[in-house]
Amino acid sequence: MRDPEVNDLETSVRNVPAGGKRELRLWLRLLSTANLVSGQIRRNLRAHFDVTLPRFDLMAQLYREPNGLRLSELSRRMMVSNGNVTGLVERLVQEGLVLRETDPDDRRAFVVRLSKEGNARFTRFAEENERFIVTLFQSLDRATMDALMDNLEKLKTSARRNATD
Amino acid sequence: MRDPEVNDLETSVRNVPAGGKRELRLWLRLLSTANLVSGQIRRNLRAHFDVTLPRFDLMAQLYREPNGLRLSELSRRMMVSNGNVTGLVERLVQEGLVLRETDPDDRRAFVVRLSKEGNARFTRFAEENERFIVTLFQSLDRATMDALMDNLEKLKTSARRNATD
DNA sequence: CTTATATCTTTTAATTGTAAAACAATTGAG
DNA sequence: CTCAATTGTTTTACAATTAAAAGATATAAG
């Protein structure tokens, strides 16, 4: 009987997949999956509620922080640049969905939170959005979802640990 | 001893996680993982080669099609809008990395492919990029990567099957 | 042939996004 | 206190992105 280790070694040399290494293919699959789903969610939110995905995401962050967040904390959580958040908040304030107030403790900072109207609107957005996502994912069994949760977390940990910056 | 099924049922009712249903949390994790990694890759490509991620992605598509692709096929594969590809190709043609030629079979269409220079440059980009991604993912074992590949494919299949459009 | 419909691409207008520099206020070291 | 470094935000310039409409060509049905 052959040593499975040898087999593994051979496989790793011989079985070079089209499209490059395992890691590269995994990255491409992760990206295309996220793109596919985010496109579907974006179009659904726009069609049903005339709201864009970035605005929805921003409101989602504020929804779970009734006392509000600083712009810097918001941009950190959304993983986008500060300047981007400045503009998004500006438009949401214009629409009356978000309030932007100076932080009493630090005159450099602003604290933003959902307005009453913003809170009410987001509640409706979120309900439909969750229903939509459950529908999209309905062919997955629980074990698959749990495995994805765990393994995506491992991927994040690896990417953070091995970052060059 | 208690029946585990009962326990599962109770869990599914009682243990409502912060941030909503399982599906929603999975989507948020997928999104944040893809954002984290794509940000790292984007900054790395920019720092080392002064190339943006969308341009790199476009060149990657053309790299494996030496005979070129129509703009519509390119936008389908990249999962972005037609107008977006028009602009990206325009800039890459300007830089001399991509060629844009009329399709002899269809006067509406254009076929784009990498120029000699584009091909040479992309080869260098890709080599460094793959090295970088392997580094980012180096703390993942093979089983985790394989499971992610399979389960992300299942997720895509579910999302496509259950799309409303 | 004509006309309707479909396909391929661009244009338009707006939003979203980044990076880098500028600005303003805070903090910490001496 | 003073000044250097840090932090929070905005501004600037530009790239990437979408949706929707428009333009151009192709195809198919009469």
Side-chain angles (χ1 to χ4, degrees):
Chain A
M1 180 186 160
R2 296 184 52 208
D3 183 348
E5 281 298 332
V6 171
N7 198 13
D8 271 7
L9 280 169
E10 283 185 12
T11 304
S12 73
V13 171
R14 214 184 332 125
N15 190 21
V16 174
K21 285 207 183 64
R22 196 175 295 268
E23 289 87 351
L24 189 54
R25 284 183 304 143
L26 176 55
W27 162 238
L28 293 173
R29 183 157 300 176
L30 175 62
L31 183 62
S32 65
T33 307
N35 279 172
L36 174 69
V37 176
S38 81
Q40 291 170 318
I41 293 175
R42 175 171 39 75
R43 283 185 290 274
N44 187 252
L45 283 173
R46 186 171 258 275
H48 283 58
F49 296 110
D50 195 36
V51 69
T52 65
L53 186 51
R55 291 177 198 201
F56 177 85
D57 287 343
L58 193 152
M59 292 176 79
Q61 294 293 337
L62 298 184
Y63 184 73
R64 22 182 182 155
E65 297 286 348
N67 292 335
L69 287 174
R70 287 193 178 174
L71 290 179
S72 49
E73 177 62 14
L74 194 49
S75 82
R76 200 189 59 74
R77 294 195 190 184
M78 294 179 70
M79 304 210 292
V80 300
S81 65
N82 280 346
N84 190 2
V85 168
T86 296
L88 278 170
V89 165
E90 199 172 294
R91 283 165 225 131
L92 287 167
V93 168
Q94 205 69 27
E95 295 182 58
L97 301 176
V98 163
L99 303 173
R100 179 177 172 285
E101 296 156 339
T102 56
D103 184 335
D105 299 340
D106 187 336
R107 283 189 297 168
R108 292 168 303 180
F110 292 95
V111 174
V112 291
R113 55 192 177 82
L114 288 182
S115 68
K116 202 176 165 72
E117 167 71 6
N119 201 81
R121 287 271 287 282
F122 180 76
T123 304
R124 274 180 282 133
F125 296 168
E127 207 171 304
E128 156 64 7
N129 192 235
E130 177 158 325
R131 192 202 57 67
F132 182 73
I133 291 171
V134 169
T135 302
L136 282 184
F137 289 10
Q138 72 187 344
S139 307
L140 297 177
D141 55 30
R142 176 185 277 209
T144 301
M145 288 198 282
D146 288 349
L148 277 169
M149 282 294 282
D150 287 350
N151 290 334
L152 287 170
E153 186 62 33
K154 286 182 189 166
L155 202 165
K156 282 213 275 191
T157 302
S158 178
R160 274 200 270 257
R161 171 161 42 218
N162 303 121
T164 41
D165 53 38
Chain B
M1 181 186 158
R2 299 183 51 206
D3 183 347
E5 279 299 330
V6 172
N7 196 12
D8 270 8
L9 279 169
E10 282 184 11
T11 304
S12 72
V13 171
R14 214 186 330 126
N15 188 21
V16 175
K21 285 205 183 67
R22 194 176 297 268
E23 288 87 350
L24 190 54
R25 285 183 302 143
L26 176 55
W27 162 237
L28 293 173
R29 182 156 301 175
L30 175 62
L31 183 63
S32 65
T33 307
N35 278 172
L36 174 67
V37 177
S38 80
Q40 291 171 318
I41 292 176
R42 177 172 39 74
R43 284 185 290 274
N44 187 252
L45 283 173
R46 187 172 257 277
H48 284 59
F49 296 111
D50 194 37
V51 69
T52 65
L53 186 50
R55 292 178 199 200
F56 177 85
D57 286 343
L58 193 152
M59 292 176 78
Q61 293 293 339
L62 297 185
Y63 183 73
R64 20 182 182 155
E65 296 286 350
N67 292 335
L69 287 173
R70 287 192 178 177
L71 290 178
S72 49
E73 177 61 15
L74 195 48
S75 83
R76 200 188 59 73
R77 295 195 190 184
M78 294 179 70
M79 303 210 292
V80 299
S81 66
N82 280 345
N84 190 0
V85 169
T86 295
L88 279 171
V89 166
E90 199 173 295
R91 284 167 224 128
L92 286 167
V93 168
Q94 205 68 28
E95 295 183 58
L97 300 176
V98 163
L99 302 174
R100 179 178 172 283
E101 295 156 339
T102 57
D103 184 335
D105 299 341
D106 187 339
R107 282 189 299 168
R108 293 168 302 180
F110 292 95
V111 174
V112 290
R113 56 191 176 83
L114 288 183
S115 69
K116 202 174 164 74
E117 167 71 6
N119 200 81
R121 289 271 287 281
F122 180 76
T123 304
R124 273 180 282 135
F125 296 168
E127 205 171 306
E128 156 64 8
N129 193 236
E130 178 159 324
R131 192 201 58 68
F132 183 74
I133 292 171
V134 169
T135 302
L136 283 184
F137 289 11
Q138 71 187 345
S139 308
L140 297 177
D141 55 30
R142 175 183 280 208
T144 302
M145 289 198 280
D146 288 348
L148 277 170
M149 283 294 282
D150 287 350
N151 290 334
L152 287 170
E153 187 62 33
K154 286 181 188 167
L155 201 165
K156 282 213 275 190
T157 301
S158 178
R160 275 200 268 256
R161 170 161 44 218
N162 302 120
T164 41
D165 52 34

